[in-house]
Amino acid sequence: MGIFIVWDCNLDLHYNHCLPHYSFRRIDRTDSQFSVGYNFRYARYYRENGTDYRTLIKAYGIRFDVVVSGKAGKFNIIPLTMNIGSGLALLGVATILCDIVVLYLLKKRFFYQEKKYMMVDDDDDLRGYGLLDSTTK
């Protein structure tokens, strides 16, 4: 007989909400030609007065296998903030890696470098792009 106990608990809630779920299943083979149920034979060997003896024992009965599994979790702000920070850091690293690939490794890198960086000769160029007021000297 297989007894399966599953615990799935949310530890943020009260412990009364953490209840196991039980299920039962027959684990022996019912289509066996020899015998149904749990049984096996084993021998016990011993020696008395120089003569070897063997006792063959047939064991049978009900076998109980108890399998307990489950998971439990509780919210904690520290792992959440660490995961968010790691994700943001990876986004920053991805931007840097993409810039390196596009600006230095691709065949059309000069086209991308022109679009990414704006060369400024004097203040008139900046005014044309709206980056300086006309009153600024």
Side-chain angles (χ1 to χ4, degrees):
M1 178 63 70
I3 303 170
F4 301 93
I5 305 170
V6 178
W7 294 83
D8 287 328
C9 298
N10 182 356
L11 299 177
D12 291 326
L13 303 175
H14 195 267
Y15 68 88
N16 288 338
H17 295 284
C18 185
L19 299 174
H21 298 280
Y22 295 93
S23 62
F24 304 92
R25 194 177 84 196
R26 186 174 179 166
I27 56 176
D28 66 333
R29 294 183 56 171
T30 58
D31 60 350
S32 176
Q33 299 175 19
F34 303 109
S35 62
V36 178
Y38 180 73
N39 59 65
F40 64 96
R41 293 183 177 151
Y42 65 94
R44 184 174 155 250
Y45 299 94
Y46 59 95
R47 180 178 293 206
E48 276 185 12
N49 300 327
T51 307
D52 291 335
Y53 292 98
R54 177 183 82 146
T55 302
L56 183 63
I57 300 170
K58 181 177 181 181
Y60 57 91
I62 300 175
R63 176 179 173 178
F64 292 101
D65 287 342
V66 180
V67 178
V68 181
S69 65
K71 60 184 176 184
K74 185 173 180 126
F75 177 76
N76 193 348
I77 192 71
I78 293 172
L80 176 68
T81 55
M82 287 178 61
N83 288 335
I84 290 173
S86 297
L88 292 175
L90 286 175
L91 285 174
V93 170
T95 304
I96 293 170
L97 288 176
C98 288
D99 277 348
I100 289 171
V101 169
V102 168
L103 295 175
Y104 299 108
L105 301 177
L106 292 181
K107 290 181 181 178
K108 293 185 176 185
R109 62 183 174 262
F110 299 111
F111 172 76
Y112 293 114
Q113 286 174 357
E114 286 178 14
K115 297 299 179 187
K116 182 167 175 87
Y117 302 113
M118 178 178 55
M119 298 300 178
V120 179
D121 293 331
D122 58 6
D123 289 344
D124 291 337
D125 291 337
L126 293 176
R127 284 190 188 91
Y129 287 104
L131 298 175
L132 284 179
D133 284 347
S134 59
T135 59
T136 307
K137 294 193 178 188

